[in-house]
Amino acid sequence: MLGYFPVPYQDELLYSLVARYAQHTGLVGNQKSIVREVFSSSTAVAVPDLPSHLSSLVNNLQLAWPTSVEELIKSFTLAPVYLPFLSQQQASKTISSMRSDSGGDIHTRSGIAASVIKQQEYFRYCPQCLKEHQMEFGECYWRRIHQLPALGFCSNHSCLLEYSSISFHPREKHLFVAANEIKLDSSIRHIELKDIEGALHDRYEQLLQASQFKGLGYNRWTLFYRNLAVELGLVKNSRVCHQEIHRLLKRTWAGTTFEDQFNYSENNYWLTNLFRKHRKSFHPLRHLLVTTALVSELSVTKLLEKVRRLPEGVLVPSHFSKKVTVQNAAEYRYSWVDMLKRHPSAGVKELRSTERGDAIYAWLYRNDKSWLMSNRPKRKVNSQSHYAVNYRDWDAKNVAHLESVYEVMANVRNRPRLTRTRIIKELPRSNSVEKHLPDLPATSQWLTDHEESVEDFQLHRLRIAYEQMKSNDLEVKRWRLLRTAAIRIELVTPKIEAEIRRLEQS
């Protein structure tokens, strides 16, 4: 049972947490001791993306950090990127392997080992992100978003990611290396990102944060892409226009870092196979390349929900060659008219989101298009006039909202430091708030008065450490407080020293 474990940072890899634990406890270089203490096993391997032994780790963390296997997989591994695109059986076995103490088959089960898109050989990082981590936390860490295959840039700072000298899957299987332990290049190579590249980065990030643990299965994805081709008019004479799809996507991604993903090949071209019956899983990047370009209006959450509503186990119907009968057409027309009556004010998009609405629309579009076009709801015209932003009202609402949520945020036990950026994220329209802070003086002043300094955050961690010791009947000692609160000796200020003496004497 571990009495101490580092507080996780935003978007941090579990691998990075274990590496920081080794550094904080002085176990750097003693590989076997680290894995024995953390995983209660001498065979646990330092795997950054899909680690195993998670049940053992959770059991060992109950005193220092009560968490669950599901939370570790969701927030500190790369599993959320892969799971939705697997079959239910594959996803279930992948999660079981991550729970268990035998994870040697994880990369085979998840399809990563056989994928044409290979993982990078070394850990990657954004130099600007590292500088910000060093200033805010006093140390650096490995971020998940920087380790995603084929995503070689940081969207937040519009710069290329740099490669470290640390192998992503090293020969030393039990070695955890923290970002602080090596000298990293701090030079920044800025690039000009296109809007669609930023959109892909955002979708990758949304996918990381999605909680879709079940594989959606090959049949659902087959139906989704066939329906998509129909909806976009990329079907001719009951056949998907693969060449037209290729040209469309090639043109959309031209001049970006993903342009080479659309080099056409007559034999086994992935884009052609994606719009055919799925017999294997496709890499998440390829799903995102297509959906970012063709259904940009759908967030990742809505996209996965749309796919989830499709039939799971039914074989793909051969509706592209099915003969349309008068009876079929009459039934679908009746269903469509009935929906129009039940939802008189709804547009096409809203009608398709109702139960069976999408299926009815797709059938009529394929087989009775002229009638459907004559019986669509009228397009709604947005007659709302533009008006100037009322900054005074916005400012007052921001302050009221922050006052209502601050106490809850501050009292979360294992919370991150309440920096200005972290607090702003609690506000509605947070991105706009950051851009317009000069126009929001009350909001800006409130943030200045309430943002937490590094010293204040360390004092908060000291009090949490003190409570843990009291609850575990441990004697309150200076060294134990510093270790549990993860405060390095050289960072101890007079104020922190005074608080330590107070806690020792209380």
Side-chain angles (χ1 to χ4, degrees):
M1 193 74 70
L2 297 175
Y4 163 74
F5 202 70
V7 176
Y9 297 127
Q10 182 183 8
D11 192 43
E12 184 174 13
L13 277 172
L14 179 61
Y15 172 100
S16 177
L17 273 164
V18 177
R20 288 199 295 118
Y21 169 82
Q23 196 173 48
H24 293 175
T25 56
L27 290 175
V28 173
N30 196 338
Q31 302 175 29
K32 289 287 186 178
S33 293
I34 295 169
V35 296
R36 275 197 296 266
E37 282 196 16
V38 176
F39 299 103
S40 298
S41 168
S42 59
T43 60
V45 178
V47 178
D49 50 355
L50 304 177
S52 60
H53 292 73
L54 296 188
S55 291
S56 299
L57 173 60
V58 166
N59 290 335
N60 287 339
L61 286 176
Q62 290 309 301
L63 285 179
W65 178 25
T67 185
S68 65
V69 172
E70 290 74 18
E71 179 62 24
L72 291 180
I73 292 175
K74 173 187 172 184
S75 302
F76 304 99
T77 75
L78 299 189
V81 171
Y82 299 101
L83 293 176
F85 307 106
L86 304 177
S87 67
Q88 284 198 0
Q89 186 179 25
Q90 277 181 297
S92 176
K93 288 184 176 180
T94 298
I95 292 174
S96 295
S97 295
M98 294 177 74
R99 285 178 174 276
S100 73
D101 293 344
S102 56
D105 58 355
I106 293 178
H107 292 82
T108 303
R109 288 191 187 283
S110 58
I112 296 175
S115 177
V116 175
I117 299 176
K118 299 301 181 184
Q119 292 180 307
Q120 72 276 10
E121 293 184 21
Y122 300 94
F123 277 92
R124 292 184 303 202
Y125 63 94
C126 165
Q128 186 60 35
C129 286
L130 288 190
K131 288 180 183 178
E132 293 176 2
H133 297 164
Q134 192 67 46
M135 290 178 62
E136 187 172 358
F137 309 119
E139 62 181 343
C140 308
Y141 65 93
W142 301 118
R143 288 193 62 188
R144 293 192 298 166
I145 192 71
H146 293 162
Q147 316 310 325
L148 294 175
L151 195 65
F153 58 85
C154 176
S155 177
N156 292 339
H157 300 110
S158 297
C159 66
L160 292 173
L161 296 178
E162 302 295 337
Y163 284 96
S164 70
S165 59
I166 305 302
S167 295
F168 202 65
H169 292 292
R171 292 183 179 179
E172 297 177 85
K173 294 186 176 182
H174 311 293
L175 180 62
F176 292 84
V177 182
N180 291 321
E181 293 182 32
I182 57 174
K183 185 177 181 181
L184 302 176
D185 187 2
S186 60
S187 59
I188 300 174
R189 294 185 291 163
H190 287 288
I191 56 172
E192 188 174 342
L193 293 173
K194 292 194 172 185
D195 290 343
I196 195 166
E197 291 177 291
L200 177 75
H201 185 282
D202 291 345
R203 281 170 170 258
Y204 239 143
E205 202 158 15
Q206 292 171 28
L207 190 56
L208 265 181
Q209 296 166 2
S211 54
Q212 178 66 48
F213 273 48
K214 291 184 178 180
L216 294 175
Y218 301 157
N219 186 67
R220 285 191 175 114
W221 285 111
T222 299
L223 288 173
F224 169 75
Y225 284 109
R226 288 194 175 180
N227 290 343
L228 180 61
V230 171
E231 292 167 14
L232 297 175
L234 296 172
V235 173
K236 186 176 181 180
N237 296 331
S238 302
R239 291 183 178 273
V240 175
C241 303
H242 295 292
Q243 288 288 347
E244 193 172 338
I245 293 172
H246 165 73
R247 284 193 293 269
L248 174 60
L249 289 169
K250 181 80 172 176
R251 186 168 60 251
T252 302
W253 291 100
T256 69
T257 53
F258 304 101
E259 184 176 15
D260 59 354
Q261 294 290 331
F262 298 94
N263 293 328
Y264 180 74
S265 170
E266 290 187 6
N267 297 322
N268 202 28
Y269 182 35
W270 69 267
L271 185 57
T272 301
N273 293 335
L274 193 71
F275 282 84
R276 289 176 173 167
K277 181 177 179 179
H278 289 206
R279 293 177 173 83
K280 62 178 183 179
S281 61
F282 290 83
H283 194 277
L285 174 68
R286 290 177 165 170
H287 286 279
L288 293 180
L289 285 170
V290 175
T291 55
T292 302
L294 300 184
V295 282
S296 57
E297 72 280 3
L298 286 181
S299 67
V300 167
T301 303
K302 290 182 178 177
L303 173 68
L304 295 179
E305 178 60 27
K306 184 174 183 176
V307 176
R308 192 186 65 79
R309 290 201 301 263
L310 294 171
E312 172 197 349
V314 181
L315 293 175
V316 180
S318 56
H319 48 242
F320 289 103
S321 59
K322 182 177 179 179
K323 184 178 179 180
V324 180
T325 66
V326 174
Q327 183 180 358
N328 282 339
E331 290 175 357
Y332 278 97
R333 285 183 180 186
Y334 175 82
S335 299
W336 180 255
V337 171
D338 182 55
M339 277 200 301
L340 291 173
K341 291 178 180 177
R342 286 188 286 111
H343 307 282
S345 60
V348 171
K349 192 172 183 179
E350 293 172 82
L351 290 172
R352 294 182 63 183
S353 66
T354 61
E355 186 179 1
R356 292 195 69 241
D358 202 26
I360 294 169
Y361 180 90
W363 191 96
L364 289 169
Y365 189 95
R366 288 193 301 270
N367 303 302
D368 202 1
K369 185 175 180 181
S370 59
W371 181 89
L372 176 64
M373 295 299 107
S374 301
N375 290 272
R376 286 159 56 100
K378 291 183 179 179
R379 184 182 295 273
K380 295 179 182 178
V381 179
N382 186 5
S383 59
Q384 184 178 5
S385 60
H386 293 284
Y387 60 92
V389 177
N390 186 341
Y391 286 107
R392 181 176 295 180
D393 180 61
W394 188 13
D395 204 13
K397 286 181 178 178
N398 283 342
V399 172
H401 181 81
L402 290 172
E403 291 286 357
S404 68
V405 301
Y406 179 74
E407 187 175 351
V408 175
M409 292 173 61
N411 289 328
V412 173
R413 187 179 182 83
N414 291 319
R415 62 169 175 80
R417 178 183 157 208
L418 298 181
T419 61
R420 174 175 290 234
T421 303
R422 175 68 185 82
I423 297 172
I424 287 175
K425 287 187 182 298
E426 294 297 318
L427 287 169
R429 300 167 60 195
S430 57
N431 290 338
S432 298
V433 170
E434 284 192 282
K435 294 176 183 177
H436 294 282
L437 271 180
D439 303 311
L440 304 167
T443 303
S444 182
Q445 185 60 48
W446 195 97
L447 292 170
T448 301
D449 294 341
H450 292 80
E451 63 181 331
E452 192 173 34
S453 66
V454 173
E455 185 180 56
D456 290 338
F457 185 48
Q458 289 174 331
L459 290 170
H460 166 76
R461 298 212 305 263
L462 275 174
R463 296 178 193 114
I464 297 299
Y466 173 79
E467 292 172 7
Q468 287 182 3
M469 291 176 199
K470 285 296 185 182
S471 64
N472 294 324
D473 294 328
L474 293 174
E475 186 178 359
V476 179
K477 292 289 187 180
R478 182 178 186 277
W479 66 268
R480 188 171 280 151
L481 283 168
L482 289 174
R483 173 178 288 188
T484 306
I487 301 174
R488 297 205 299 272
I489 294 177
E490 60 268 24
L491 297 179
V492 175
T493 64
K495 191 173 181 180
I496 293 174
E497 190 65 58
E499 180 68 6
I500 290 174
R501 285 198 296 270
R502 188 187 71 80
L503 293 174
E504 282 184 315
Q505 295 168 7
S506 61

